[in-house]
């Protein structure tokens, strides 16, 4: 499979009155065509900021991408002109945001918001764009799409608004779809429908997906590879079966312990992760997870471990081998 996206050493900072927020701290990963990559971690760990950096959507000021490369088909997005980025954004790489109500313009019809990209990127006239918009709305499961195309966002339910956002994202047949917690604001049955819809469209269209979530349960049936983030760092990267079957980083193990499982052989109580994430303005010298970690040793408090291989395509950033002692 061809390599579509290669992120190398990406660093993003926010310069605030309180100090410099170290939001993303040198993360690297790759994405091949047709593959699905999951990025997981608790709120504030840098998941959304990392993909907004890839899309060049970080507000400046206060934010700034201070290091790294984002290679899309071999070209660095971070070095492109604004007009070049606009040709890629929404066309070749599309994004679905967490809350469709704040992402959709309340004074424009759903149809207008979907067909805008068709006119801009594909050069369709208004009639062609309208017909294609109705097709897209039907494809994402909006009933009576021809009658609903001139409705406004407030006339749609939360699930239908999110389907409209997906139609908008898919309008130009992107090679990469970035989904930033797109089901968080929806109830559980609608969540399942949206996930099944994205999986079906991925298989039909053949696009690659980056799916961001704090819910490890969603990733299990969706992604092939998982990146676990903590305090702006990648702490574990692995194929999805290894993350669930053989987690090696203490943070990943803790996340899984807090997740209800139907296949559990013992009836243990769910465990929360004690303590709080570190202050990203004043990150500790050592491992950022060390104050909350049950396996901590002296070295963890002195030096932040690099991401090192522990198996085929499996990397962790940890000084301790949780399966047998110090690494």
């Amino acid at each position: 499979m061809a390599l579509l996206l290669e992120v190398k050493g990406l660093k993003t900072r926010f310069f605030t009155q309180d100090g410099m927020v170290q939001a993303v701290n040198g993360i690297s990963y790759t994405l091949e065509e047709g593959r699905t990559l999951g990025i997981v971690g608790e709120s504030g760990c840098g998941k959304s900021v990392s993909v907004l950096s890839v899309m060049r959507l970080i507000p400046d000021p206060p934010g700034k991408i201070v290091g790294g490369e984002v290679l899309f088909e071999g070209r660095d997005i971070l070095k492109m002109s604004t007009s070049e980025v606009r040709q890629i954004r929404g066309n070749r790489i599309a994004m679905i945001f967490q809350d469709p109500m704040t992402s959709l313009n309340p004074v424009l019809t759903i149809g207008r918001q979907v067909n805008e990209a068709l006119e801009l990127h594909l050069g369709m006239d208004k009639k062609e764009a309208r017909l294609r918009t109705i097709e897209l709305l039907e494809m994402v499961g909006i009933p009576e799409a021809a009658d609903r195309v001139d409705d406004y966002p407030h006339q749609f339910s939360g699930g239908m608004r999110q389907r409209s956002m997906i139609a908008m994202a898919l309008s130009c047949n992107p090679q990469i779809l970035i989904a930033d917690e797109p089901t968080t604001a929806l109830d559980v049955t609608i969540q399942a429908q949206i996930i099944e819809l994205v999986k079906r469209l991925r298989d039909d269209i053949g696009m690659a997906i980056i799916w961001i979530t704090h819910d490890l349960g969603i990733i299990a049936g969706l992604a092939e590879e998982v990146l676990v983030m903590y305090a702006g760092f990648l702490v574990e990267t692995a194929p999805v079966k290894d993350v669930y079957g053989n987690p090696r980083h203490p943070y990943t193990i803790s996340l899984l312990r807090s997740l209800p499982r139907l296949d559990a052989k013992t009836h243990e109580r769910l465990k929360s992760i004690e303590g709080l994430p570190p202050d990203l303005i004043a990150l500790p010298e050592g491992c950022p997870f060390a104050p909350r970690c049950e396996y901590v040793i002296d070295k963890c408090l002195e030096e932040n471990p690099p991401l090192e291989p522990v198996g085929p395509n499996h990397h962790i950033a940890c000084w301790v081998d949780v399966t047998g002692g110090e690494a």
Side-chain angles (χ1 to χ4, degrees), residues 35-53:
R35 304 278 288 175
T36 301
L37 178 71
I39 304 179
V40 300
E42 59 198 314
S43 296
C45 72
K47 307 183 300 290
S48 296
V49 173
S50 69
V51 292
L52 289 171
S53 301

Side-chain angles (χ1 to χ4, degrees), residues 20-36:
M20 182 179 71
V21 179
Q22 301 170 65
V24 179
N25 300 306
I27 69 169
S28 302
Y29 59 88
T30 58
L31 179 66
E32 295 176 335
E33 61 182 22
R35 304 278 288 175
T36 301

Side-chain angles (χ1 to χ4, degrees), residues 139-190:
M139 185 170 75
V140 297
I142 289 180
E144 300 173 345
D147 297 327
R148 303 300 307 268
V149 71
D150 293 319
D151 284 355
Y152 289 86
H154 72 270
Q155 295 172 277
F156 276 36
S157 67
M160 285 172 66
R161 283 195 291 266
Q162 198 58 285
R163 287 169 187 269
S164 303
M165 286 293 296
I166 294 170
M168 198 184 305
L170 298 179
S171 59
C172 298
N173 292 324
Q175 288 155 285
I176 300 173
L177 176 68
I178 297 174
D180 184 6
E181 302 209 41
T183 60
T184 300
L186 307 174
D187 66 54
V188 177
T189 52
I190 304 298

Side-chain angles (χ1 to χ4, degrees), residues 49-80:
V49 173
S50 69
V51 292
L52 289 171
S53 301
V54 166
M55 295 283 279
R56 286 261 300 266
L57 287 172
I58 296 293
D60 182 8
K64 193 171 184 63
I65 301 165
V66 297
E69 296 177 292
V70 177
L71 303 174
F72 175 63
E73 295 184 325
R75 294 186 64 212
D76 190 355
I77 291 176
L78 303 184
K79 291 187 176 148
M80 291 181 184

